[in-house]
Each structure stands twice: as structure tokens, then as C-alpha cells.
Amino acid sequence: MRDAAPKTIFLSDYTPYPWTVDSVDLHFTLDPHATRVRSVIRFAPNPAFTGETPKTMFLHGEQIKLISAQIDATAVDPDLTGEGLTCAVPGGPFTWESEVEIDPANNTALEGLYMSNGMYCTQCEAEGFRKITFYPDRPDVMSVFTVTVEGPHPVLLSNGNPVVTENHLAKWHDPWPKPAYLFALVAGDLVAHSDSFTTMSGRHVDLNLYVRPGDEGKCAFGMQALKASMKWDEDVYGREYDLDLFNIVAVDDFNMGAMENKGLNIFNSSAVLASPETSTDLNFERIEAIIAHEYFHNWTGNRITCRDWFQLCLKEGLTVYRDSQFTSDMRSAPVKRISDVIDLRGRQFAEDQGPLAHPVRPESFQEINNFYTATVYEKGAEVIGMLKTLVGDEAYYKALDLYFTRHDGDAATIEDWLKVFEDSTGRDLAQFKRWYSQAGTPRLSVAYSFELDTLTLTFTQHTPPSAATPDPQPQVIPIAVGLIYPDGTEALETRVLEMTKATQSFRFTGLEDEPVPSILRGFSAPVVLTHDLSDADRAHLLAHDTDPFNRWEQGRMLARKSLLAMITEGADPDPAYLAGIHKVATDTTLDPATRALMLDMPSEAELATVLHEAGTTPDPAAIYAAREAMAEARADAFADVAADIYAANTVTEAYQPNADQAGRRVLGNAMLAMITRRDAGAQAAAQYDSADNMNQQLVALALLVGAGKGDEKLQAFEKQWQDDRLVMDKWFGLQVSKAKPEDAAAKARRLTEHPAFTHTNPNRFRAVFGALVMHHAGFHHASGDAYTLLADWLITLDPLNPQTTARMCSAFQTWKRYDSDRQAKMLTEITRILATPNLSRDTTEMLTRIKGA
């Protein structure tokens, strides 16, 4: 394990690597415990390096055994440490050769080369390549790789195009220079689901999705999504694939969703394998989006990579934005936008408001693995969206063409990215750059006055100071605005206002009547908006706004207001809110997916955040009770229509994972949830028994378990699916998520004793403990049992898988939000984990930041 002593790395300290790497030749002789890696690396002095080229070279290397080393065919004896080696080198070009030995079978951290159920696979982002061989493991060192793999396996894969394929030996060459984090190798007993794609210039590309024997029936949708992604990227961005082959491999043990290695994408099996019998509608949509995301990285991440890890948002924010565009085009754009905002507010806003706050481009880090965050990904994507909104569609795509032309083959920076837009559009983006350099979520408030025929909107922006940004300055905020007359007609179609000052007013003249302002349409900026509309005005926008996001937002605000009154004042559910959602649910002019989204209630975590920001200590038990009371009231309010809407949205045709069917299913199941509260689960049981697809079966099972009627079905489900690892992940997570708050920790504990539970598989670990953390009232139960249970298992997991451990530590990031008793219990567990001997650097940094909130 790496030395856990923290060492802070600063963006301001960046210097180019003193050498370029002209070529890399690697030869792997595979063995579970003694894989040999021979490398031949050709170095030359880097003309971009300022100053005299050093006389010694440092190469990263961790948990590897050096067998031999040579420079220009002469043996050398480098100085070794736990983080790499240092060796004297010639003043000009030279060739470094080494042979090392590594132990993939015992690499439980799942970084570098490791084994998953007998299959060799790699994960090198961010700094995993240094666990394979000695190398300058940094993203600005790019080279052409040739890789030979020897092993007794039918499938031997690496990046690029195949050069030699013989019995137990394969040689691969990737003609495109890449950093080491994009290196990939897979070897095992795999079968291929194959297809092909013809690019817009006529290039024939062979496509393969490699899976374990038995999973062949779960490949068709993934292949369909890949081909749709390739076509979309050509049509929308003009980006064509550039190799003769594109391979995807499904891996069971994987810390992330997937990895975009050049020509050889490695996927968590949950992010690529799908069938109607084993996957839900959300699984299909997630798979489609992740396949698109990793494919789009071919240009925004691979052909143009990031100069250093501080620029991580350059590839991830842009690619998340592109995959969101893709999903919007493939499915429902309004539903996608609303879903993205729900996720942003639930995850990224929480980061911005707590001890883990950092800018989209951080200024420093100790462990880069801890910065694969919602701020880098989701807020990074929002910044791209704002830039597109400000310059317009035509100028955006023109700038992207310049970006691809100017920086193809580069390791680029945020400054390079913004300079492209400045040169292309003539705009000065110095102030806009603050979105990359300032932490925190801006608070935007609006006041308005109407006189004669003129409406004046006055906006004020303020970003709370934080340790990451103690003195935030005003940012450029694109505010999309519309105006709705009292009769429901639109007085003003969407107009984008560009706010640049702390306080700024905008006037709209020539109005026939006083309109209701529709502010921040499409959620045009990632801000917290304070807009003191009356309930009547919110209801008016809910009924008449032409912007789908704002229509949803007003319903959400009415629900939130009613729930907050129930929590803090003991009020009854607001009849006006119940009437409003009843009207929405029965509005057949809206597509079913949008209607279902507008019926969603704010989550318990969202309500806790709102209470905290208002200066009230959130009580998880009271929040849970209020949402339960609201759910009961909704069931009563929909008693006259729930069965009819359920029946009208029952899909009778053969299952398809498309937007139309998925929308009908989600609306029908929203009605089923209400029906289940009144019929003791009879309809849910009938749906479970008749379901021919996982979506309907799992929803029915969840409703039955939540109603206390699911024991028999849980046993039947386990018996039916005990041999399907991905479906069993659902079985584990469902039981925790649907447990009563007082039972959640005990349920999770019992599931860890189940023979099928294994903490070494990230999917299974997250199924149980991710569900526990997301169970707000259960995780924060007054007993503190969930805090203790999670801490016990994080201590157990950390020596094996620091990445997964550190990311799960974020469960404690809001510890100062709650009452003193809960704070004390969480602080005790945080302190106990930090006191663990040899705690990893990943977990140490994460918990130290959380504790110091």
C-alpha cells in the first residue's frame, strides 16, 4: 500500500516532464501471482521543459518487484522507494529497458493489472499504470504503445489494432499517442457479441462486446447503444472513430462504471449487460448513457486529454455534457433535464455546502481518486451548458470544431479550452472562468416590480465563502426568463439575460398586463434561486408555463413548502398541492414520463438540506414521518383515478426499453404505489406474478416489501435469481432501502452475513451500504447503529480497496448538520476510522477533510 502520509500537490507547481516518450513496447507474460512485464521505453529531452534537463530520472512504480533495468543496453542499479525509482540518465535520447514482476491475483484495490474471477483486466485511471511497470505516470506524457500479451487464454486484448494473433500470444499496436492512464489489457475465457459500423468516411469498424460465457444474451442493447453513439457523434459533433476495431469488455469487479481506454473500453458489468428479464428501465437508460459517455471520450478525453489531473473537468465535464445531449435526443429532453437537476442538487450541491467543497478545477489535492466528484463531472457539465447558452448553438459548435482541430493530440488545459471560445467568438471569458476556479453554489435572488407596461426584474447574486474560496467574486450567470400573462398565454418567449454584477436589473416594456415571471428556465445556471412567488403564482406556472423544467419546479416548490410545514408546524398536507398534482397526473397532453416526474416528492435528504439552510436542525424521524403522511394523503387524493391511470398505462405489447414504454411504466407504477397503500398489496402482488420483465417485477416487489407484505416474494425472487449476480445486487439493495428506519441497520447487518455477500466486489458492497446511506432516516436513526456498522465495514474494506472505501466515507460529510447527539456519534466513528493503523491515503484525506468541517 502507498504511504498514507499526506502530501499536497498544487496546480501552481506544474512543470512539464523533462523528457518525451517516443515509443513504448510492453511484453506481458501472464501469471496470477507472478506476471512478468518487460518494457522498452524510448526517451528524449523535452524541448518544452524549461531549464537544463536533469541528470537523474524519476519513474513512478508501486507494489512491483524490479527484476532488471538497463539504459542503452547497459545494466543500471536505480534507487528504489515505495513510490518509484530514481536513476542517472544520459544527456540526450536514451532507451530504458526493465523487467518487473507483479501479483494480479492479490491486487484487491482493483488498480493496475488485477484479476476478476479468473480474468485479467486493468484499471489505470488515475494512477494505476504505476502498479504495472515503472513509468512517468502522468497524463501529459503521451506515447505510441505496442503491447504483446502471452498467456493460456483464448482472448488476449489491448489497445489499438491487432498486429499478431497466435495461439496464446497477441500483439497490439495503438497508433494514437496516449497517456498511460488509457492503457488497457484484458485476458480470459470470453465470448464476443460482434457487429460492425461504417463511419461517415466509409471506414469499416469491427465492434465486439466481450462477456463471460452465459452472458451472451445480455449484449444486444449495449451494442445497439454503441452504434447509436457512434452515429450521433458524427451527426452532432462531426467526430469519426479512428481505429479499425472497437472492443468493450464486461468485468464483474470494477470500482467505477466504465473506463474509456483507447479502443478497449472496460465496463463494470452492471453498466453494459442488459436484458428485459434482468434489467429495469433505469438500468437500460443508464447503460445507454454510460456507453455513450465512454465512447464520446474517444475525442474528448483520448484524442485530446488533460495536461494534469487538475484539468480532469476538461474531459469529464465536456463528456458528461455530451452524453446528456445524447440521452436528450434518444429519449425525453425535458425528463433528462429535470433528472439531471435532481441529481445535481442531491449530490453536487451537497458537496458545495460541506467540507468536501472544491472548485470545478481544484487548486490542490492529496489523492486524485478523491476528486472524481459530482463537482468535476456534473457541475463541470453545467459549466459547458452555460457556455453554450451564452454563445449560442452555432457559435458553440464552431468553437468545438476549432478545439478539435487546434488541440488534437494535445494534453490540454482549461485555459486552452476557454481560449478556443474567445478566439472563435471574440468574447472575453475572464469572468466566466470563475466557474472553474470558485467553489460553492451561487445564491440568486430576484425581486420584481410592475408599473404601467414595464416589468423590472432585479437580481442579486451571492456565493457563500468557504475554505476553498474564502472571497468569492460575482460570476457570469445566464438567466433564461419567460413571462406568462394571467390568462395563461406567453407574454415573452424565453430570453437569456446575462448577469455579470452582484446586483443587476433588467426591464421588459410594452406589456399588456402584469405577468408572472418564469425565472431560470431549463435551469440555465447551477444556482440556488430565491423567488418569492405566491402559491397562486406557482400554481399558475404549474398549469401554464411553457418551459417543462419550470413547470416541474413550481410543483416541486409547492410540495416542499407543504412538507416543511408538516415537519416544523405539524400542519396537514396542503389541499392546493394535492389538487395541483391531481390535475397534472390526469393531463393527457403531457407525456407519461413527465407526469410521473412531476408527481415525485422532494427526497428526505433534500428536505434536510432546506431545513439546515433555513437555520433549523433537521430531524430525520420527523422528515420521514411527514413524507409518509404526505404519501398517505396522496393515496387518498388519487383514489378516484389511480386505478384508471394505472390501467391506461399498462404496457401490453412486448417489452422494449424505449422512452415511450418506460414512460408509461413509470407513471403506471407511480399509481401502483398509491394503490398499494389502500389494497394491502393485492395489485402489486398480481403485477409481480404476471410480470415478464424485471422492471415490473422489481417495482412490485419493492412495494410489497415496503408494505410489509413481501417476505414470500423475497424468497421466491432469491430462488429465481440466485445465480444472476447483477439481479442479486438489486435483491440486496431493495431490502435495505425499503426497511423501516429503525430496522435499516439491522437489515444491512444481516445481509452482510448472507452467503452471497462479499465486500471485495464493489457492486455487492455498494448494493448494501449504498442503500443504507441513501436511506436517510435509517442511516441517521437516533441509535447510531448505522454509523457504527458502516464504520466497521469501512475499516475492513480499506486495506483491500481504498477507492471504494474513501468514496463511501462521503456518507459522513453532513455530520454537522444534525443534532448534537447524532454529531457526537458520527464524530466518534470518523475518529475511530482515522485511528486505524495503516489507513490508506485515500480514506485519510477524505475523512480528515470531513472531520475538519
Side-chain angles (χ1 to χ4, degrees):
M1 181 175 293
R2 277 185 281 189
D3 182 3
K7 181 171 63 178
T8 302
I9 300 168
F10 295 92
L11 170 62
S12 58
D13 289 341
Y14 171 83
T15 57
Y17 190 64
W19 295 272
T20 60
V21 176
D22 295 336
S23 66
V24 179
D25 287 86
L26 301 174
H27 190 118
F28 289 79
T29 304
L30 298 176
D31 181 274
H33 293 287
T35 289
R36 290 292 180 103
V37 185
R38 299 193 299 277
S39 61
V40 179
I41 307 171
R42 294 169 179 83
F43 289 92
N46 184 358
F49 181 77
T50 56
E52 185 178 351
T53 301
K55 294 181 173 56
T56 59
M57 172 182 68
F58 175 77
L59 299 178
H60 297 101
E62 297 177 5
Q63 301 174 31
I64 55 181
K65 178 182 178 181
L66 179 63
I67 305 300
S68 64
Q70 295 180 322
I71 291 180
D72 292 336
T74 300
V76 294
D77 186 20
D79 295 327
L80 295 168
T81 69
E83 295 190 347
L85 61 76
T86 303
C87 188
V89 295
F94 61 93
T95 299
W96 163 270
E97 297 179 68
S98 71
E99 183 171 7
V100 303
E101 185 176 284
I102 55 179
D103 183 358
N106 284 323
N107 182 2
T108 59
L110 312 184
E111 294 179 286
L113 179 67
Y114 65 93
M115 299 193 74
S116 173
N117 296 323
M119 176 172 68
Y120 293 86
C121 55
T122 55
Q123 172 53 36
C124 293
E125 186 177 357
E127 296 176 340
F129 191 78
R130 63 191 61 184
K131 294 184 176 182
I132 294 175
T133 193
F134 291 101
Y135 193 78
D137 189 8
R138 42 189 285 172
D140 60 340
V141 177
M142 303 173 70
S143 186
V144 172
F145 281 65
T146 302
V147 178
T148 302
V149 188
E150 283 189 272
H153 311 283
V155 174
L156 302 168
L157 305 173
S158 191
N159 308 86
N161 296 318
V163 177
V164 176
T165 303
E166 299 176 350
N167 187 32
H168 302 324
L169 182 144
K171 186 173 184 179
W172 295 79
H173 177 69
D174 184 355
W176 301 102
K178 65 174 179 285
Y181 83 84
L182 291 172
F183 170 80
L185 180 153
V186 171
D189 181 11
L190 301 167
V191 292
H193 178 92
S194 301
D195 206 329
S196 64
F197 182 83
T198 302
T199 69
M200 59 186 180
S201 69
R203 175 196 288 269
H204 177 87
V205 181
D206 290 320
L207 309 176
N208 295 298
L209 204 171
Y210 284 95
V211 298
R212 296 185 184 282
D215 285 335
E216 300 94 324
K218 300 178 182 179
C219 298
F221 182 79
M223 185 62 74
Q224 173 188 324
L226 173 60
K227 295 176 72 173
S229 303
M230 298 175 80
K231 181 68 166 60
W232 185 91
D233 210 16
E234 290 182 345
D235 292 344
V236 178
Y237 280 87
R239 297 300 102 195
E240 182 176 358
Y241 187 62
D242 51 8
L243 291 169
D244 301 329
L245 183 67
F246 189 93
N247 289 325
I248 290 175
V249 180
V251 178
D252 287 348
D253 300 288
F254 203 71
N255 282 332
M256 297 181 287
M259 179 61 206
E260 69 267 19
N261 319 294
K262 184 72 176 183
L264 177 55
N265 285 189
I266 299 179
F267 271 64
N268 187 313
S269 55
S270 68
V272 67
L273 300 181
S275 71
E277 296 78 19
T278 61
S279 306
T280 66
D281 291 333
L282 288 177
N283 292 150
F284 279 104
E285 182 175 342
R286 176 175 179 262
I287 286 167
E288 184 178 64
I290 293 177
I291 286 175
H293 179 95
E294 305 307 334
Y295 175 74
F296 297 156
H297 265 314
N298 187 61
W299 277 91
T300 51
N302 297 2
R303 288 284 289 261
I304 305 176
T305 192
C306 45
R307 185 195 70 179
D308 51 70
W309 290 120
F310 295 100
Q311 320 295 330
L312 181 59
C313 60
L314 179 66
K315 74 182 186 79
E316 295 300 347
L318 178 55
T319 305
V320 169
Y321 182 72
R322 278 159 36 82
D323 81 55
S324 292
Q325 288 182 291
F326 170 78
T327 299
S328 295
D329 287 349
M330 296 298 106
R331 295 179 179 268
S332 164
V335 169
K336 175 59 177 170
R337 186 58 186 145
I338 293 167
S339 299
D340 283 349
V341 173
I342 292 172
D343 183 61
L344 183 80
R345 288 171 170 171
R347 296 173 58 239
Q348 196 281 319
F349 280 18
E351 281 181 4
D352 261 351
Q353 295 161 15
L356 302 181
H358 63 87
V360 172
R361 182 174 70 176
E363 296 294 323
S364 66
F365 62 77
Q366 293 176 2
E367 176 50 66
I368 185 55
N369 288 329
N370 290 338
F371 281 86
Y372 282 75
T373 63
T375 297
V376 166
Y377 280 68
E378 277 69 38
K379 188 173 181 178
E382 293 294 321
V383 174
I384 304 296
M386 284 190 291
L387 190 54
K388 183 170 179 285
T389 297
L390 288 168
V391 304
D393 289 358
E394 183 178 350
Y396 170 81
Y397 288 109
K398 180 181 177 183
L400 264 292
D401 286 342
L402 177 60
Y403 177 66
F404 292 128
T405 300
R406 179 181 290 179
H407 292 291
D408 187 13
D410 283 356
T413 65
I414 292 300
E415 284 75 16
D416 295 327
W417 164 253
L418 293 177
K419 184 68 162 56
V420 162
F421 276 83
E422 289 182 328
D423 291 348
S424 179
T425 67
R427 292 180 63 108
D428 182 350
L429 295 175
Q431 185 181 9
F432 184 83
K433 187 180 176 183
R434 290 174 186 165
W435 281 105
Y436 286 103
S437 61
Q438 294 190 169
T441 305
R443 270 57 176 167
L444 180 68
S445 61
V446 57
Y448 57 93
S449 61
F450 184 77
E451 187 173 348
L452 298 177
D453 66 346
T454 300
L455 175 72
T456 302
L457 298 179
T458 300
F459 294 92
T460 301
Q461 62 165 297
H462 166 70
T463 302
S466 64
T469 307
D471 185 27
Q473 299 299 305
Q475 296 175 225
V476 179
I477 302 179
I479 308 169
V481 171
L483 303 176
I484 306 297
Y485 278 134
D487 65 359
T489 60
E490 196 166 43
L492 176 75
E493 295 183 356
T494 301
R495 179 182 301 176
V496 177
L497 312 177
E498 186 171 338
M499 185 179 186
T500 58
K501 302 175 183 177
T503 299
Q504 201 164 343
S505 295
F506 301 87
R507 289 180 173 81
F508 305 88
T509 60
L511 298 170
E512 299 171 3
D513 201 348
E514 181 174 357
V516 179
S518 171
I519 308 294
L520 209 66
R521 285 184 158 185
F523 200 67
S524 56
V527 301
V528 174
L529 174 66
T530 301
H531 188 193
D532 292 328
L533 287 173
S534 67
D535 288 354
D537 284 344
R538 292 197 187 280
H540 185 69
L541 292 177
L542 176 61
H544 301 293
D545 203 329
T546 57
D547 178 65
F549 170 81
N550 252 5
R551 193 172 181 186
W552 167 84
E553 178 83 315
Q554 302 317 313
R556 185 82 162 193
M557 295 300 292
L558 290 171
R560 181 193 289 180
K561 182 177 179 181
S562 179
L563 282 162
L564 292 174
M566 293 168 69
I567 295 164
T568 60
E569 304 167 16
D572 292 330
D574 181 7
Y577 162 68
L578 296 172
I581 60 169
H582 190 283
K583 182 176 181 180
V584 166
T586 55
D587 183 356
T588 55
T589 65
L590 291 173
D591 68 87
T594 301
R595 290 153 71 189
L597 254 184
M598 295 179 78
L599 289 173
D600 275 352
M601 286 191 287
S603 69
E604 293 172 50
E606 178 182 337
L607 294 167
T609 299
V610 175
L611 288 166
H612 173 69
E613 290 184 341
T616 300
T617 300
D619 179 349
I623 294 171
Y624 176 84
R627 285 186 89 255
E628 280 294 296
M630 180 65 85
E632 289 290 327
R634 285 156 53 105
D636 287 340
F638 278 76
D640 62 328
V641 297
D644 290 340
I645 298 175
Y646 175 75
N649 287 278
T650 297
V651 178
T652 56
E653 57 265 39
Y655 180 93
Q656 292 292 329
N658 56 40
D660 173 67
Q661 281 197 16
R664 285 187 280 157
R665 281 189 288 268
V666 72
L667 179 58
N669 286 329
M671 295 300 108
L672 182 61
M674 298 183 188
I675 293 169
T676 302
R677 289 182 175 270
R678 294 294 168 265
D679 74 349
Q683 187 65 56
Q687 176 168 304
Y688 181 93
D689 291 338
S690 64
D692 63 355
N693 62 81
M694 178 54 64
N695 193 84
Q696 298 304 84
Q697 185 182 26
L698 194 70
V699 167
L701 180 61
L703 291 173
L704 290 168
V705 172
K709 305 287 185 180
D711 289 349
E712 181 183 338
K713 301 297 187 188
L714 272 173
Q715 293 175 18
F717 190 92
E718 180 186 12
K719 183 177 180 180
Q720 179 183 2
W721 296 111
Q722 59 187 327
D723 295 327
D724 191 301
R725 58 204 181 277
L726 296 180
V727 177
M728 285 300 291
D729 287 337
K730 298 175 172 64
W731 182 83
F732 274 91
L734 180 151
Q735 294 178 73
V736 179
S737 65
K738 293 301 179 181
K740 299 297 182 186
E742 61 273 19
D743 298 332
K747 174 62 72 175
R749 187 183 301 276
R750 285 194 296 273
L751 287 170
T752 63
E753 298 165 357
H754 190 282
F757 177 79
T758 170
H759 63 287
T760 59
N761 177 264
N763 289 351
R764 189 58 48 86
F765 186 84
R766 286 189 290 255
V768 173
F769 289 101
L772 180 61
V773 168
M774 293 296 290
H775 192 321
H776 184 263
F779 184 66
H780 293 292
H781 188 263
S783 66
D785 289 349
Y787 306 150
T788 302
L789 179 66
L790 179 62
D792 287 344
W793 278 98
L794 293 179
I795 290 170
T796 299
L797 183 64
D798 183 73
L800 304 175
N801 191 329
Q803 276 193 42
T804 299
T805 305
R807 287 170 186 168
M808 196 63 72
C809 286
S810 63
F812 293 114
Q813 69 176 312
T814 58
W815 69 278
K816 284 197 171 180
R817 174 180 293 177
Y818 298 95
D819 59 83
S820 58
D821 187 53
R822 287 181 172 88
Q823 284 190 32
K825 287 181 169 68
M826 279 189 273
L827 183 58
T828 294
E829 301 307 332
I830 293 168
T831 304
R832 180 163 69 94
I833 300 170
L834 281 170
T836 303
N838 301 314
L839 194 69
S840 71
R841 193 168 72 196
D842 307 60
T843 303
T844 298
E845 181 193 19
M846 186 70 87
L847 284 179
T848 300
R849 292 166 63 198
I850 290 172
K851 184 179 180 180

